[in-house]
Amino acid sequence: MAVWIQAQQLQGDALHQMQSLYGQHFPIEVRHYLSQWIEGQLWDAVDLENPQEEFKAKRLLDSLIQELQKKADHQVGEDGFLLKIKLGHYASQLKSTYDRCPLELVRCIKHILYTEQRLVREATNSSSPVGGMMDSMSQKYQQINQVFEELRLLTQDTENDLRKLQHNQEYFIIQYQESLRIQAQLSSLASLPPADRQLREPSLLSKRATVEAWLTREANTLQKYRLDLAEKHQKTLALLRKQQTVILDDELIQWKRRQQLAGNGGPPEGGLDILQSWCEKLSETIWQNRQQIRRAEHLRQQLPIPGPIEELLTELNSTITDIISALVTSTFIIEKQPPQVLKTQTKFAATVRLLVGGKLNVHMNPPQVKATIISEQQAKALLKNENTRNDSSGEILNNNCVMEYHQTTGTLSAHFRNMSLKRIKRSDRRGAESVTEEKFTILFESQFSVGGNELVFQVKTLSLPVVVIVHGSQDNNATATVLWDNAFAEPGRVPFIVPDKVLWPQLCDALNMKYKAEVQSNRGLSEENLVFLAQKAFSSSSCNPEDYRNLTMTWSQFNRESLPGRNFTFWQWFDGVMELTKKHLKPHWNDGAILGFVNKQQAQDMLMSKPNGTFLLRFSDSEIGGITIAWVAENPNKAGERMVWNLMPYTTKDFSIRSLADRISDLNHLLFLYPDRPKDEVFSKYYAPPLSKAVDGYVKPQIKQVVPEFTTANPDPAANPTYMDPVSPAVSHPHNYGLYPPMSESMGDTDVDFDLDDTMDVARHVEELLRRPMESQWSGQQS
């Protein structure tokens, strides 16, 4: 059901909240008449923090105005005439409001849609049967809302008690003044004749005694009222602190953790609107109680009555100040993190936000935020409250920004759009640590006051760890540092400590998350893929996933030590696979056409039981970012014997010349994609269209791939840049095609970069190899 249809069914406070979303900035009539169109647009596809996205927002604004005008033009009849004028007016109004700032329109509509969805969801949950039907998230939200309702009632109760106390105290002061007046009358009797004094004194003494007795009794009552009120405030503040702990230490910390995992490709951390609404409710309730405590203090000063109340009020004042201080300093957060791999002399952006800024009217005197880059050691010192003022580890250009208040969404934020790291100052590194393992952080700090300068806050927040690079070649290793930190950082850690070793399943989760995000695919790494990676990581031959569950992998194994017999690390190999797949193979990976994570021996075992011309695609073991084609065909040297051939790996360089699908199309000897799918059925939709006919007498040239042995009647293996698998059984045997132990290191690929210019050199090399006896030939290849 459309959100707007459900939103119209809201009742009570929820309906009032929904209606308050609209106004001159976005009329509710526009939402009503264009509800289907509004809900059909991709508002989330616009990055509000990227000024370059403004053209998208402008296109949406123009489309909205066009739709409004169209709706206006279709109105007929007497009522339609008035609506036509109204909608036309709204079209002009929206154009004049947002034409110069179309991103604000997107921000406004995203806020409206998100809030409506939340209100509808909360209303649906509250009306549904409690129990198994309500998920844990809804139950948690309901509990938080119930506590807010309890706090509201407690605050209302103390407000009523405070008013009663004030009224009683005012009456007490009046009676006290009356007792002073009686005392003055008694004092004046001394100047009267004895007869007159005896006549008037008894009644005045009686009246004074009555008033003083009442005052004594009422003073005790007032003291009890004050103590009762203080105890109620203690109860309210205890509940407030508990609620604030749930929101700041649970919900906000979880949001920050989701934000960190999103840096590894995890699901989006989610909007801050619900968190902001909770924090704003906290700030309102805290401020109301603070004002009540201050009024109670004023009443005590106005009428001092000996007792423990003075100490209690001092304690309450201290507690409420601590609570509001914790709220303000904790809700100064980074909404959009700076890039975690940060290249010098390159523009970058970030956004900080104060979740309670609107309610505390901080924007009335807009604070300025400053960004500074600091080292890991400086971050540790900062959190220990050691003096680090003016300490930095580099120079950031355009690092000052004023916080802006957005009326439509009620958010107070600072958008750093054009920062650039001009220079970086590195610390002395020890041991094996490289520059791509050194972590920095961006410190954002500001100062602002609330309550008419009653309270002044110094606020600071640190970005996620940042690795600074100066050249693109460092990006791979820097990404490894960031991936490890994002995946395995513990909440509340000392900056930026992470475990040196982790369980293999934990690393698998991180790799799978990163792979799906980089390749932009719903097809992640299967259990078989992960076992292949474990075999590579641990130089193991076991194909049982259980054998790896309790194994740990160290950071050194991950991206310091090269794989056995290779000149690259496990991460560098894996990252090369991701890059190749992301740039050139994504559709084929999504289609399941690429097995990928299969070693040479596994490929041979799988193909030997299949008909000639069956092929598969696997990632090269010996080359970063390479993929090879393995296929089964007749052995040209032994009649009746079949063997598996492996084409030299393709890399990004090759696919920039001709795509994988077209290369497969060129090779007529490739017939079936493993296990038995006709290749055209899988790849034809990706073939390049045929060249058009010659124009003006010119014929267009075309590049095609050729494997000579499989294009001539009598194949000559010596002329082909392919290499044969050393073990090719003549008779195929049944196999289990799930997981296979890898071949020994000596049997690994000997893949090298393939360049069209070097074809003849390679061919001569292969020809020379084929002239040698088989035993010496393969021993040479294995070395």
Side-chain angles (χ1 to χ4, degrees):
M1 188 187 296
V3 176
W4 182 241
I5 295 175
Q6 295 174 298
Q8 292 175 79
Q9 298 169 10
L10 294 171
Q11 297 178 352
D13 183 55
L15 178 62
H16 177 72
Q17 286 185 54
M18 187 271 285
Q19 290 172 334
S20 68
L21 295 169
Y22 299 96
Q24 287 190 343
H25 61 280
F26 197 81
I28 196 169
E29 292 89 343
V30 176
R31 175 71 175 100
H32 181 74
Y33 287 105
L34 296 186
S35 60
Q36 191 171 353
W37 183 88
I38 289 172
E39 292 177 33
Q41 305 309 303
L42 299 175
W43 303 102
D44 285 333
V46 180
D47 182 359
L48 295 174
E49 314 311 331
N50 185 357
Q52 296 178 354
E53 296 272 84
E54 195 167 289
F55 77 97
K56 287 185 185 177
K58 184 67 166 63
R59 201 161 57 221
L60 284 166
L61 170 62
D62 293 342
S63 298
L64 173 68
I65 292 168
Q66 189 177 350
E67 289 293 322
L68 256 183
Q69 205 61 58
K70 193 188 301 179
K71 179 67 74 173
D73 293 343
H74 282 80
Q75 302 304 315
V76 293
E78 186 176 336
D79 293 337
F81 173 74
L82 294 175
L83 184 58
K84 181 176 185 175
I85 294 174
K86 205 170 191 179
L87 293 179
H89 169 70
Y90 290 147
S92 303
Q93 179 182 313
L94 288 172
K95 182 171 178 61
S96 64
T97 302
Y98 295 110
D99 204 37
R100 293 186 178 180
C101 52
L103 285 171
E104 285 304 306
L105 172 74
V106 178
R107 190 189 305 276
C108 168
I109 294 178
K110 285 173 74 170
H111 174 67
I112 286 171
L113 292 175
Y114 184 85
T115 307
E116 285 179 352
Q117 289 167 357
R118 175 175 62 82
L119 291 171
V120 166
R121 186 169 60 248
E122 289 174 354
T124 304
N125 288 337
S126 63
S127 62
S128 63
V130 178
M133 295 290 289
M134 188 177 293
D135 60 24
S136 60
M137 187 66 75
S138 300
Q139 287 179 336
K140 188 190 299 179
Y141 287 5
Q142 188 180 52
Q143 288 169 0
I144 289 173
N145 289 331
Q146 284 173 349
V147 173
F148 273 126
E149 178 61 19
E150 188 178 349
L151 283 167
R152 187 187 68 79
L153 294 174
L154 286 172
T155 304
Q156 185 61 52
D157 186 36
T158 48
E159 177 65 29
N160 293 337
D161 284 359
L162 187 60
R163 287 175 182 170
K164 182 179 177 182
L165 173 62
Q166 183 175 354
H167 174 76
N168 289 355
Q169 182 166 313
E170 287 171 352
Y171 187 67
F172 179 91
I173 291 172
I174 290 172
Q175 293 303 310
Y176 180 73
Q177 294 295 331
E178 176 66 14
S179 73
L180 293 178
R181 189 178 64 81
I182 294 171
Q183 183 61 42
Q185 288 177 341
L186 282 168
S187 299
S188 66
L189 291 179
S191 61
L192 296 177
D196 290 342
R197 186 167 60 239
Q198 289 177 0
L199 182 65
R200 298 178 59 183
E201 191 173 46
S203 79
L204 285 173
L205 287 171
S206 172
K207 197 171 183 180
R208 185 180 70 174
T210 302
V211 171
E212 286 183 348
W214 183 90
L215 286 173
T216 302
R217 187 174 64 251
E218 190 63 17
N220 291 329
T221 303
L222 285 175
Q223 185 73 313
K224 184 177 183 304
Y225 280 172
R226 289 177 176 180
L227 289 171
D228 289 346
L229 180 61
E231 287 173 1
K232 285 185 177 182
H233 272 131
Q234 284 179 323
K235 180 182 177 183
T236 303
L237 297 194
L239 188 59
L240 253 177
R241 197 186 282 278
K242 182 179 177 182
Q243 178 81 325
Q244 183 159 297
T245 299
V246 169
I247 292 170
L248 299 183
D249 293 356
D250 294 345
E251 297 301 315
L252 185 56
I253 293 296
Q254 287 179 25
W255 180 88
K256 289 181 178 180
R257 180 62 183 145
R258 291 196 301 271
Q259 185 185 55
Q260 189 170 24
L261 287 176
N264 275 4
E269 61 269 31
L272 284 165
D273 287 0
I274 289 180
L275 273 169
Q276 175 162 317
S277 69
W278 289 340
C279 292
E280 287 178 341
K281 284 181 181 179
L282 276 174
S283 68
E284 286 180 319
T285 308
I286 291 168
W287 200 255
Q288 286 170 5
N289 279 273
R290 184 175 185 273
Q291 295 303 98
Q292 287 180 10
I293 292 167
R294 288 169 65 83
R295 282 159 57 197
E297 172 67 21
H298 178 69
L299 289 175
R300 187 201 66 79
Q301 292 172 351
Q302 193 179 40
L303 181 63
I305 301 175
I309 190 64
E310 183 176 358
E311 188 178 333
L312 276 173
L313 286 172
T314 302
E315 182 185 328
L316 287 172
N317 237 322
S318 175
T319 301
I320 198 79
T321 303
D322 287 347
I323 291 174
I324 196 169
S325 178
L327 177 66
V328 172
T329 54
S330 298
T331 54
F332 182 64
I333 62 169
I334 302 173
E335 182 177 3
K336 180 183 178 182
Q337 291 281 342
Q340 287 187 264
V341 176
L342 189 56
K343 189 179 177 185
T344 55
Q345 311 294 334
T346 304
K347 189 173 78 170
F348 68 96
T351 301
V352 292
R353 179 165 162 183
L354 181 63
L355 297 180
V356 294
K359 289 298 178 184
L360 295 179
N361 292 325
V362 174
H363 59 284
M364 301 303 286
N365 184 19
Q368 188 173 77
V369 184
K370 180 182 178 182
T372 314
I373 188 164
I374 62 175
S375 68
E376 186 172 332
Q377 291 302 319
Q378 289 166 339
K380 288 178 184 175
L382 184 74
L383 293 187
K384 291 178 184 176
N385 291 321
E386 295 177 5
N387 185 16
T388 58
R389 186 165 296 280
N390 300 324
D391 282 355
S392 71
S393 290
E395 182 182 352
I396 299 178
L397 302 179
N398 303 317
N399 66 329
N400 286 285
C401 186
V402 175
M403 298 194 87
E404 299 175 1
Y405 183 68
H406 303 277
Q407 187 75 39
T408 54
T409 57
T411 59
L412 182 71
S413 54
H415 305 289
F416 293 85
R417 295 185 173 91
N418 296 295
M419 287 192 289
S420 176
L421 182 59
K422 184 178 179 182
R423 61 179 182 83
I424 191 69
K425 183 171 63 179
R426 299 189 184 275
S427 60
D428 294 330
R429 291 177 302 282
R430 296 179 180 177
E433 186 180 83
S434 67
V435 294
T436 56
E437 293 180 31
E438 187 178 6
K439 299 173 192 173
F440 297 87
T441 180
I442 308 295
L443 164 67
F444 295 94
E445 51 189 336
S446 184
Q447 175 181 307
F448 48 82
S449 59
V450 298
N453 292 326
E454 287 180 27
L455 298 172
V456 178
F457 295 100
Q458 300 277 350
V459 292
K460 304 174 191 288
T461 188
L462 296 175
S463 76
L464 292 173
V466 167
V467 178
V468 177
I469 64 174
V470 296
H471 192 274
S473 61
Q474 297 172 312
D475 184 79
N476 172 287
N477 292 325
T479 301
T481 301
V482 167
L483 175 85
W484 191 276
D485 193 280
N486 286 346
F488 309 122
E490 294 290 334
R493 62 169 172 178
V494 175
F496 292 107
I497 292 176
V498 283
D500 184 60
K501 61 181 179 180
V502 296
L503 285 169
W504 173 250
Q506 290 178 285
L507 184 59
C508 286
D509 290 342
L511 293 176
N512 185 42
M513 183 185 292
K514 185 69 173 176
Y515 189 88
K516 288 168 69 175
E518 286 295 311
V519 179
Q520 296 179 333
S521 171
N522 290 325
R523 181 191 170 201
L525 301 174
S526 66
E527 189 168 59
E528 289 84 359
N529 298 156
L530 295 172
V531 169
F532 169 87
L533 292 174
Q535 291 171 339
K536 180 178 286 291
F538 299 110
S539 300
S540 169
S541 60
S542 171
C543 54
N544 183 1
E546 293 300 320
D547 291 343
Y548 303 103
R549 296 231 181 269
N550 296 317
L551 292 184
T552 58
M553 190 168 190
T554 66
W555 166 252
S556 290
Q557 289 173 298
F558 183 67
N559 197 45
R560 270 190 190 163
E561 302 166 0
S562 294
L563 290 170
R566 307 296 183 200
N567 61 352
F568 48 80
T569 65
F570 173 84
W571 164 255
Q572 288 166 347
W573 181 87
F574 183 79
D575 187 58
V577 165
M578 283 196 303
E579 279 295 301
L580 181 71
T581 308
K582 176 174 70 174
K583 290 179 179 176
H584 300 288
L585 308 177
K586 180 166 67 174
H588 309 305
W589 173 263
N590 289 339
D591 290 346
I594 297 174
L595 290 179
F597 300 96
V598 177
N599 64 41
K600 185 185 285 186
Q601 182 63 58
Q602 291 172 4
Q604 175 170 297
D605 292 343
M606 296 164 75
L607 291 170
M608 284 303 294
S609 65
K610 297 299 177 183
N612 287 348
T614 304
F615 67 99
L616 59 79
L617 297 156
R618 67 178 188 86
F619 298 123
S620 169
D621 280 318
S622 60
E623 185 164 349
I624 294 178
I627 190 168
T628 187
I629 301 175
W631 74 97
V632 63
E634 295 297 328
N635 185 343
N637 297 322
K638 291 187 180 180
E641 183 179 288
R642 302 192 316 147
M643 64 179 291
V644 171
W645 297 70
N646 290 275
L647 204 59
M648 275 191 161
Y650 299 121
T651 63
T652 289
K653 179 180 175 182
D654 300 305
F655 292 134
S656 64
I657 298 170
R658 189 155 176 79
S659 72
L660 174 66
D662 288 334
R663 289 175 182 273
I664 290 173
S665 173
D666 293 342
L667 301 178
N668 295 326
H669 60 279
L670 303 182
L671 304 175
F672 304 102
L673 178 68
Y674 182 87
D676 54 10
R677 299 168 68 189
K679 75 172 183 183
D680 287 344
E681 178 187 301
V682 180
F683 295 100
S684 60
K685 57 185 173 183
Y686 303 112
Y687 294 162
L691 291 176
S692 57
K693 292 182 179 179
V695 179
D696 298 332
Y698 289 104
V699 177
K700 291 184 179 179
Q702 186 174 14
I703 296 175
K704 284 202 173 184
Q705 176 170 268
V706 174
V707 178
E709 285 86 341
F710 294 89
T711 55
T712 58
N714 297 308
D716 176 13
N720 180 40
T722 63
Y723 53 95
M724 295 179 291
D725 198 293
V727 183
S728 299
V731 182
S732 59
H733 300 282
H735 297 284
N736 174 5
Y737 299 117
L739 301 172
Y740 295 80
M743 299 174 67
S744 66
E745 189 55 43
S746 62
M747 301 290 280
D749 289 349
T750 56
D751 311 354
V752 296
D753 283 332
F754 178 56
D755 194 311
L756 292 176
D757 295 337
D758 297 334
T759 302
M760 294 309 296
D761 291 337
V762 173
R764 280 192 290 272
H765 178 64
V766 173
E767 184 178 9
E768 181 183 340
L769 287 174
L770 292 174
R771 287 198 189 102
R772 302 175 188 172
M774 285 298 288
E775 185 178 354
S776 63
Q777 172 186 339
W778 292 117
S779 64
Q781 176 130 336
Q782 293 165 18
S783 60

